[in-house]
Amino acid sequence: MGKAKKWLYGLFFSCVPILLALIMIAGAIDMTMNMIEGDKKGGSEINAETIAGLPQWITVDMVRAAVQMQTETHYPSSVVLGQMILEAGAGGSELANPPYYNCLGQKAPSHGQNGTVSMQTEEAWGTEVAEFSTFANYVDCMKAWGHKFTMDPYVKRVTACPTDPKTGHYEANAFIKAVWESGYATDSQYVQKVIGIMTSYDLYKFNSMSVGDVGMGKPSKPSKPPGSGKGRFTHPCPDMTEQTSYFGEIREFETGGHKGNDYAAPVGTTTYAADDGVVTIAGWSNSAGLWVVIDHGDGLVTKYMHHSALLVEAGYEVVRGQPIGEVGSTGQSTGPHLHFQVEVNGTAVNPDDYLE
Ligand SMILES: [Zn+2]
């Protein structure tokens, strides 16, 4: 073996333990960061993992809202989620998504609605146009649902249900039976159907969960997201917890300034197209993770990185404010956030100058 080769081998083997140590340190930092993040936000037990296996259109925000409503009214979250799955059928309708947040198909007027929208629905007897409630967020939607059962004709039977001694919430199977006996649905199999869904999707586990009250009761959309106030873009992550990095920020682990803004948000938080455009990339990159690139014409391009899930595909024409993905921590990322980048003719520019 030549001298140079020996030296190379030596270098390689001396690097292995250092590399291993670095990987372990990185892992430990990541775990600690996740723990801190979870503590800070509350409700950390409900995340993308907890809701895995539920129908695709059900988001972490919807489930958290169901559990929040359960905490306040003792209405079992397994029941409302079961009803939501049964009654939404195909689900994921326009009405269930932002900006309407009506994931339970509640007709107007509802307790705490912030407006109404007229939509065509499929009913047993054919299609009809109905007036539906719109809500500021899923918590308000769930609260409106819970509120309905604190009144006639439900309240008497519902409040007579046995409660779980540990949580104080009504027992789920008895509760759905009481709702049906009060005249909620004419379908004679309704109770069995909801119980079947609660069983097959393992919804009962949510009945012992709770969410921290941090940030859950406030409106989803901050009244004034950061921005110069002059631009044409709508905020790509209005439900963020906080902005954790700014354009141009110098950080130790990268060369040059930060090319965009970072918006920290729980995994599953919706991200939106900043403006009308065509999706040119919706896929995987080792650095950007699951990312979306939108071409707005005239050399203006926006990039959205680190998603846990994408809601668009390359070639889609999107409109301003259309949901495009869910926040995650994929690619080179140390915690759940959206990296939002604006480019003019290939050069990154300050997103704040383009935000309304
Ligand atoms: Zn970033």
Side-chain angles (χ1 to χ4, degrees):
M1 196 183 285
K3 224 178 187 172
K5 252 192 191 164
K6 233 187 228 165
W7 181 80
L8 270 175
Y9 273 98
L11 182 71
F12 175 74
F13 284 110
S14 62
C15 279
V16 168
I18 295 170
L19 273 172
L20 282 174
L22 279 175
I23 290 167
M24 281 166 70
I25 290 167
I29 289 172
D30 200 41
M31 269 170 62
T32 315
M33 289 299 285
N34 284 342
M35 278 158 64
I36 293 167
E37 291 279 293
D39 279 355
K40 199 170 62 189
K41 279 170 202 136
S44 57
E45 57 184 337
I46 301 164
N47 50 43
E49 225 168 278
T50 339
I51 71 160
L54 297 191
Q56 282 268 303
W57 59 275
I58 294 181
T59 64
V60 168
D61 284 349
M62 289 180 195
V63 177
R64 283 191 172 178
V67 170
Q68 168 91 354
M69 188 267 277
Q70 162 179 273
T71 304
E72 291 183 18
T73 64
H74 299 302
Y75 190 120
S77 51
S78 70
V79 171
V80 68
L81 292 171
Q83 290 177 299
M84 191 167 99
I85 293 170
L86 179 65
E87 287 161 41
S93 68
E94 204 185 340
L95 189 64
N97 290 315
Y100 303 126
Y101 296 96
N102 188 347
C103 56
L104 289 153
Q106 299 183 81
K107 286 185 182 159
S110 300
H111 178 75
Q113 68 181 29
N114 71 350
T116 63
V117 60
S118 183
M119 278 194 188
Q120 193 170 301
T121 62
E122 301 289 334
E123 301 290 350
W125 54 88
T127 59
E128 69 163 27
V129 174
E131 203 68 8
F132 290 93
S133 301
T134 63
F135 299 97
N137 51 56
Y138 290 123
V139 173
D140 284 357
C141 173
M142 287 289 172
K143 281 185 185 172
W145 186 263
H147 182 75
K148 200 160 59 179
F149 297 90
T150 63
M151 297 183 297
D152 279 338
Y154 307 104
V155 64
K156 229 177 126 193
R157 284 188 183 83
V158 158
T159 51
C161 286
T163 54
D164 182 300
K166 245 198 250 160
T167 61
H169 307 326
Y170 295 114
E171 200 269 305
N173 290 7
F175 192 89
I176 190 61
K177 191 157 172 273
V179 165
W180 179 78
E181 283 173 346
S182 307
Y184 177 78
T186 48
D187 182 352
S188 64
Q189 297 299 304
Y190 187 77
V191 174
Q192 284 317 308
K193 282 180 186 170
V194 176
I195 290 176
I197 287 170
M198 290 195 289
T199 307
S200 60
Y201 286 104
D202 190 22
L203 300 178
Y204 292 103
K205 71 180 176 197
F206 296 111
N207 293 346
S208 57
M209 293 187 183
S210 59
V211 290
D213 47 14
V214 184
M216 287 300 299
K218 64 185 186 193
S220 291
K221 300 207 184 260
S223 52
K224 185 80 184 74
S228 67
K230 300 179 294 217
R232 63 191 241 197
F233 285 174
T234 190
H235 199 282
C237 194
D239 299 331
M240 68 171 176
T241 330
E242 59 180 322
Q243 182 167 344
T244 49
S245 179
Y246 292 82
F247 175 80
E249 190 177 328
I250 306 296
R251 302 186 297 183
E252 272 179 21
F253 51 87
E254 65 189 359
T255 49
H258 191 208
K259 289 201 170 77
N261 284 344
D262 285 348
Y263 306 118
V267 171
T269 304
T270 308
T271 64
Y272 303 89
D275 205 352
D276 298 356
V278 177
V279 176
T280 53
I281 298 174
W284 177 262
S285 143
N286 284 340
S287 55
L290 282 174
W291 70 319
V292 175
V293 177
I294 300 175
D295 187 343
H296 305 285
D298 297 326
L300 186 61
V301 165
T302 50
K303 299 180 171 178
Y304 312 74
M305 305 181 186
H306 313 303
H307 288 94
S308 59
L310 300 182
L311 304 174
V312 293
E313 289 173 20
Y316 275 28
E317 275 184 36
V318 291
V319 295
R320 186 177 187 271
Q322 180 173 336
I324 57 168
E326 293 176 4
V327 169
S329 188
T330 55
Q332 282 169 22
S333 166
T334 52
H337 77 285
L338 171 71
H339 171 105
F340 176 59
Q341 186 166 326
V342 181
E343 291 181 2
V344 175
N345 298 321
T347 303
V349 295
N350 191 344
D352 288 348
D353 292 340
Y354 286 80
L355 289 168
E356 65 180 3

